[in-house]
Amino acid sequence: MANGDQQAARAFHDATKLSYINLLNKPPRYKSYPGLTQVQLPDATPPEMPTLEAISGAGTPASGPLDLQAIAQVLHYSAGLIRKSMSASAGEVHYRAAASAGALYPIELYLVCGDLPGLAAGVYHYAPADNALTLLRAGDYRGNLAAAAADESLATVPATLVSTAVFWRSAWKYRARGYRYCFWDNGTVLANLLATANSLGQPARVLAGFVDHDVDQVLGVDSEQEASTCLVALGQPGGARPYVVRVLDPIDSGDLGFSEAIPYPESELLHSESRLDSWEEVSGWRGHVHGNETSLPPAIDSAPLGESILERGSTRRFAREPISSEQLSALLAASAAAMPADFGGSLTEPYLIVNAVDGLTPGAYYYSEESGKSAGEFQLLQEGEFRAEAGHLCFEQALGSDASAVVFFLADLDLALARLGNRGYRAAQLEAGVMGGNVYIAAHSLGLGATGMTFFDDAVTAFFSPHAAGKSLMFLVGLGRTGTPNRVR
């Protein structure tokens, strides 16, 4: 009777249908907390430090304390609403400070702070559209983060920014692959955040290791639809002292604007299996870190950071014109500098297809950063004209073939996972997102265009092999001179 049972045919037909994205279940772009108290943020002053200096960490420490004005600047230039436009097909479009896959913006930011000039101690949610902080908990909860992250300095650092991912915002369009995109987007936000903090002379340090459940509880998020992804300690910590872990009463979890999301078991399993569950587990995880030195970018003029962020946008067409090797070298030296993170960085490495760069032979390259020098080295792997191959690898997009160069950030996942467990996958995606975000704003600071693209994973590894054998592509960015008209070809 198996042939008489129509379920198999119906199930297969439904599972293999092709369709447009369902716009009716698109999640809202912002999280809200109706009825809760908001603290209005002052208008953010544009950071004036040259962009390449800011993203490479070449700033000097601030003499003043972290205050509300500085917090407003960091938040706005990391994840703030910078402009709006109207589209015939999409309606009102909101553009944020950092690049986002599909302009879906799955990352939310929260602030946990002690008493600051102009802001009382508390746990806050950042509302980009309102340029405001929503108060979730009054009081000093920095000790809770210190315990969750196995890092007592978080109890005395002036503030910690916590990023979360609302997974359905990316999965709505990109399905299971959207989990990667959440960490890419988290990385581009962090790129802006770290550069802005550096321009203010405020130390900033990324912590990817923490007890997930405990941090989620501080924020009041559910750990499933929305979950913590990393912490950024902001400002100079005070001296070591005992800290208090406060009792956490239930709080308003906020309104994500949707009640149901399509489950993707692969994503859910990976996130669950990469959680850390205890202080001891976090300490052990962080014990595998290997440090890395940062290098300074070569001297080249770049626009102020605030200007680069405000004018940033994804290029839709490249002009097939050359850029200079000095521009590419300065951009990569700054963008690939190791970020201050508890997992030590150095998980991802840049590979390139060079199509039109004055001073470099067209071909496939590996970029090797040498610590302490002003620039890394371009190692030619294969000479040749690879515009067609670049377009193919970039998911058959003309942007890849038209770009002056395409930068591919690859990671040895076997090493990352051996060192950091499943959480190493998060870290590798996050680090690649930071590097890609740096390339975005660095390119704009030099008068160039940039855009991130999706890709054929294994084909990229094969193209750069044998040098890249065993490595996996995390993120890529095409860059060059913006074409006219700046519309998709």
Side-chain angles (χ1 to χ4, degrees):
M1 293 298 291
N3 187 53
D5 183 354
Q6 302 172 15
Q7 183 177 355
R10 289 291 182 189
F12 174 81
H13 186 68
D14 290 341
T16 56
K17 284 180 179 178
L18 297 179
S19 63
Y20 291 104
I21 296 169
N22 183 2
L23 294 176
L24 296 178
N25 69 348
K26 181 179 180 179
R29 59 174 72 97
Y30 299 114
K31 184 180 185 181
S32 62
Y33 288 86
L36 294 191
T37 301
Q38 283 195 329
V39 177
Q40 194 65 37
L41 290 168
D43 291 338
T45 306
E48 293 295 331
M49 177 177 282
T51 300
L52 294 185
E53 291 182 30
I55 65 177
S56 64
T60 56
S63 56
L66 187 70
D67 59 13
L68 186 60
Q69 180 65 52
I71 292 293
Q73 191 178 64
V74 170
L75 290 171
H76 181 72
Y77 285 93
S78 300
L81 174 62
I82 57 174
R83 61 181 177 271
K84 301 177 184 179
S85 70
M86 290 299 298
S87 165
S89 59
E92 186 174 73
V93 180
H94 289 205
Y95 295 94
R96 306 274 286 275
S100 170
L104 298 174
Y105 306 108
I107 302 304
E108 298 284 336
L109 291 182
Y110 296 79
L111 173 72
V112 180
C113 65
D115 286 322
L116 300 176
L119 186 67
V123 178
Y124 298 87
H125 170 260
Y126 175 52
D130 301 326
N131 190 36
L133 291 171
T134 304
L135 179 63
L136 307 182
R137 297 185 189 275
D140 191 345
Y141 288 86
R142 292 176 295 170
N144 293 68
L145 292 187
D151 187 331
E152 65 180 17
S153 71
L154 292 188
T156 62
V157 79
T160 295
L161 292 171
V162 185
S163 61
T164 67
V166 180
F167 299 115
W168 175 234
R169 286 191 195 148
S170 283
W172 167 78
K173 180 175 182 180
Y174 298 113
R175 303 181 182 179
R177 193 177 175 90
Y179 187 78
R180 299 191 195 190
Y181 291 36
C182 287
F183 286 91
W184 296 356
D185 281 18
N186 203 162
T188 59
V189 170
L190 284 185
N192 286 25
L193 194 162
L194 294 171
T196 304
N198 191 61
S199 74
L200 289 166
Q202 296 290 347
R205 183 168 54 95
V206 177
L207 291 93
F210 51 87
V211 179
D212 296 66
H213 174 265
D214 291 355
V215 174
D216 289 347
Q217 271 202 318
V218 172
L219 308 180
V221 302
D222 68 0
S223 302
E224 295 181 2
Q225 301 288 0
E226 179 184 7
S228 305
T229 50
C230 73
L231 318 178
V232 181
L234 187 60
Q236 192 67 45
R241 65 171 192 213
Y243 58 84
V244 176
V245 178
R246 303 180 65 160
V247 175
L248 296 173
D249 296 323
I251 58 173
D252 190 334
S253 61
D255 183 7
L256 294 173
F258 59 88
S259 57
E260 294 185 6
I262 296 173
Y264 291 98
E266 302 91 344
S267 306
E268 294 171 358
L269 178 62
L270 173 57
H271 194 74
S272 175
E273 293 296 310
S274 62
R275 287 177 174 143
L276 301 176
D277 296 322
S278 68
W279 182 94
E280 293 80 9
E281 194 174 359
V282 173
S283 295
W285 179 85
R286 198 169 288 139
H288 295 286
V289 166
H290 301 283
N292 190 28
E293 299 294 327
T294 60
S295 61
L296 299 179
I300 184 172
D301 290 338
S302 60
L305 177 63
E307 179 182 318
S308 301
I309 290 175
L310 292 176
E311 295 183 358
R312 183 208 59 76
S314 292
T315 299
R316 299 305 178 194
R317 179 182 294 190
F318 290 112
R320 288 201 169 209
E321 297 174 358
I323 63 175
S324 72
S325 58
E326 290 78 14
Q327 288 174 316
L328 182 61
S329 181
L331 181 152
L332 279 176
S335 300
M339 70 177 189
D342 63 346
F343 58 85
S346 303
L347 299 177
T348 50
E349 303 168 292
Y351 288 75
L352 298 93
I353 292 180
V354 169
N355 294 324
V357 178
D358 289 336
L360 283 179
T361 302
Y365 286 83
Y366 170 71
Y367 178 79
S368 175
E369 186 184 9
E370 295 189 344
S371 299
K373 294 190 176 182
S374 62
E377 294 182 349
F378 292 96
Q379 178 183 343
L380 181 61
L381 302 179
Q382 184 179 0
E383 182 177 340
E385 295 286 344
F386 294 124
R387 285 192 183 273
E389 288 83 351
H392 167 66
L393 296 176
C394 296
F395 211 64
E396 302 293 358
Q397 295 179 80
L399 283 162
S401 61
D402 292 345
S404 300
V406 183
V407 186
F408 302 80
F409 295 104
L410 279 78
D412 186 330
L413 282 183
D414 287 342
L415 286 177
L417 298 177
R419 192 173 115 197
L420 300 170
N422 286 325
R423 209 173 184 90
Y425 187 79
R426 296 194 200 181
Q429 295 283 5
L430 186 69
E431 182 183 65
V434 170
M435 289 182 175
N438 285 340
V439 169
Y440 258 106
I441 53 179
H444 280 79
S445 78
L446 299 176
L448 305 175
T451 191
M453 290 168 275
T454 194
F455 44 81
F456 293 116
D457 294 70
D458 292 342
V460 172
T461 300
F463 177 81
F464 287 108
S465 290
H467 193 284
K471 297 178 183 177
S472 300
L473 181 58
M474 300 289 102
F475 192 61
L476 71 79
V477 181
L479 56 99
R481 301 194 182 279
T482 302
T484 303
N486 187 21
R487 293 198 299 268
V488 173
R489 181 170 78 81

